[in-house]
């Protein structure tokens, strides 16, 4: 009888520990959505002309991975370069709506022909090993807003 009680307590503790681990994992990696932005542009300060125009699709999983597919172009000195990248991030929650994202793999595909100097100047957040902190908030319509310390930089339509 005593062995049965010990066995039952042990099984109960194992189940409790498992539930706590699942809950901990959920709080660290609580995003689970796919969204896209159809067209985003970044402008230079001098002439207020777009130098980077792109569309993207990003998926977050509860396992702590995010997959970004981005395509578009960069204009520099009246020359256009194609952007076509697949980027894999590891992410974890560090605040109520703040996430630390680290690029674990970035690969070019298609006709991506951006030179290294422009890549380092404009695309640093897409290079392997780079970490950044972003805020992700859901709008009342279900879409997501991505922001950094400078303010919102992307509204992503959830699908």
């Amino acid at each position: 009888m005593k062995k049965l009680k010990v066995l039952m307590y042990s099984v109960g503790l194992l189940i409790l520990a498992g539930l706590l681990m699942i809950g901990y994992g959920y709080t660290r990696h609580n995003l689970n959505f796919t969204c896209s932005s159809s067209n985003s542009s970044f402008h230079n300060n001098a002439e207020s002309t777009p130098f980077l125009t792109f569309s993207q699709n990003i998926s977050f999983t509860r396992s702590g991975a995010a997959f970004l597919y981005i395509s578009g172009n960069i204009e520099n000195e009246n020359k256009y370069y194609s952007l076509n990248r697949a980027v894999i991030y590891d992410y974890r929650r560090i605040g109520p709506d703040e996430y630390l994202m680290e690029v674990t793999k970035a690969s070019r595909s298609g006709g991506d022909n951006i030179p290294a100097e422009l890549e380092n100047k404009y695309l640093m957040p897409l290079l392997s090993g780079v970490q950044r902190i972003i805020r992700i908030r859901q709008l009342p319509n279900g879409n997501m807003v991505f922001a950094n310390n400078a303010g919102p930089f992307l509204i992503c339509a959830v699908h």
Side-chain angles (χ1 to χ4, degrees):
M1 185 69 174
K2 190 172 183 174
K3 286 185 180 184
L4 181 61
K5 282 185 179 182
V6 170
L7 180 63
M8 289 178 63
Y9 284 128
S10 298
V11 169
L13 285 174
L14 285 174
I15 290 171
L16 180 62
L19 291 174
L20 287 173
M21 288 176 63
I22 290 169
Y24 177 72
Y26 178 76
T27 61
R28 285 180 47 110
H29 310 294
N30 65 333
L31 300 176
N32 188 24
F33 66 90
T34 297
C35 69
S36 59
S37 66
S38 59
N39 194 9
S40 299
S41 297
F42 288 94
H43 298 260
N44 64 27
N45 291 334
E47 301 150 10
S48 190
T49 57
F51 68 87
L52 173 60
T53 304
F54 63 93
S55 59
Q56 65 183 355
N57 188 335
I58 188 165
S59 296
F60 286 87
T61 67
R62 290 201 197 281
S63 64
F67 303 92
L68 170 68
Y69 304 97
I70 184 169
S71 62
N73 62 58
I74 290 180
E75 187 271 329
N76 186 56
E77 298 177 1
N78 296 322
K79 290 177 86 176
Y80 286 88
Y81 301 95
S82 294
L83 169 66
N84 198 2
R85 305 276 168 107
V87 182
I88 301 173
Y89 291 93
D90 280 341
Y91 81 88
R92 65 181 167 93
R93 185 176 177 179
I94 59 172
D97 59 356
E98 291 182 330
Y99 296 86
L100 175 66
M101 297 186 67
E102 180 176 355
V103 177
T104 57
K105 183 177 181 184
S107 59
R108 294 175 181 237
S109 58
D112 190 313
N113 62 350
I114 296 175
E117 66 271 6
L118 293 180
E119 184 175 58
N120 291 333
K121 184 176 182 179
Y122 297 125
L123 301 177
M124 182 61 81
L126 301 180
L127 301 178
S128 291
V130 172
Q131 292 183 342
R132 58 191 311 202
I133 295 173
I134 64 168
R135 288 188 312 276
I136 301 174
R137 293 187 181 163
Q138 190 170 21
L139 295 173
N141 66 1
N143 293 334
M144 305 302 256
V145 174
F146 291 74
N148 57 18
N149 59 351
F153 63 87
L154 179 69
I155 295 177
C156 203
V158 174
H159 42 89

